[in-house]
């Protein structure tokens, strides 16, 4: 496992996007290891520090929590190579459950690696 990789939960996964695309439907299509893009949204009307999470298909599936967005967004703004992948989709095996996203992130230019044997481990409070 990459020594600089860490796990982060997303937030806002249950909202639909402005273009009508469903974040929940997009989450259903994801697999562990799928590449994600973290994109700063300085023009976001709700939070100028927002960092959105997009899939490889260009669908927004959520955001970083504000405290993480400030930290990681500042790295993105300064040109640090921030990479993310899907670690797991919470609730995917529960019929009718609202889905959530846990991702692996690396800010050293490497593609993060999934934790061996424990894709469900999250190293911070997911609340």
């Amino acid at each position: 496992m990459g020594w600089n990789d860490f796990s982060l939960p997303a937030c806002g996964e249950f909202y639909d996007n402005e273009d009508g695309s469903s974040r929940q439907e997009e989450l259903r299509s994801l697999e562990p290891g799928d590449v994600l893009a973290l994109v700063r949204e300085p023009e976001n009307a709700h939070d100028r520090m927002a960092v959105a999470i997009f899939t490889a298909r260009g669908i927004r599936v959520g955001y970083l929590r504000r405290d993480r967005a400030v930290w990681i967004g500042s790295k993105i703004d300064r040109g640090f190579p921030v990479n993310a992948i899907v670690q797991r989709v919470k609730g995917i095996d529960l019929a009718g459950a609202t889905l959530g996203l846990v991702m692996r992130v690396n800010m050293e230019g490497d593609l993060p690696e999934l934790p061996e044997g424990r894709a469900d481990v999250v190293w911070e409070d997911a609340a």
Side-chain angles (χ1 to χ4, degrees):
M1 176 167 32
W3 68 276
N4 272 339
D5 299 350
F6 56 95
S7 301
L8 284 180
C11 64
E13 301 101 311
F14 49 89
Y15 294 107
D16 285 337
N17 293 312
E18 297 83 6
D19 64 2
S21 59
S22 169
R23 295 177 189 177
Q24 289 290 295
E25 287 301 315
E26 187 68 6
L27 286 170
R28 279 185 186 79
S29 73
L30 297 178
E31 297 287 334
D34 286 351
V35 174
L36 300 167
L38 302 180
V39 179
R40 285 271 293 111
E41 290 187 346
E43 303 302 319
N44 185 303
H46 302 287
D47 183 358
R48 65 181 186 83
M49 298 305 294
V51 176
I53 305 162
F54 286 87
T55 65
R57 292 181 346 122
I59 307 292
R60 184 187 314 119
V61 290
Y63 286 89
L64 294 181
R65 202 171 68 194
R66 188 165 204 290
D67 62 334
R68 298 302 181 189
V70 169
W71 170 51
I72 293 173
S74 72
K75 299 279 192 182
I76 293 169
D77 290 347
R78 291 181 289 160
F80 282 79
V82 178
N83 296 305
I85 61 171
V86 173
Q87 180 170 328
R88 73 181 179 107
V89 177
K90 299 184 288 186
I92 195 72
D93 295 325
L94 302 172
T98 300
L99 304 180
L101 174 67
V102 177
M103 67 193 121
R104 291 292 285 174
V105 179
N106 180 292
M107 295 192 299
E108 300 293 327
D110 297 322
L111 193 62
E113 298 175 17
L114 294 172
E116 290 184 32
R118 289 296 312 265
D120 61 331
V121 173
V122 179
W123 299 108
E124 74 167 60
D125 180 20

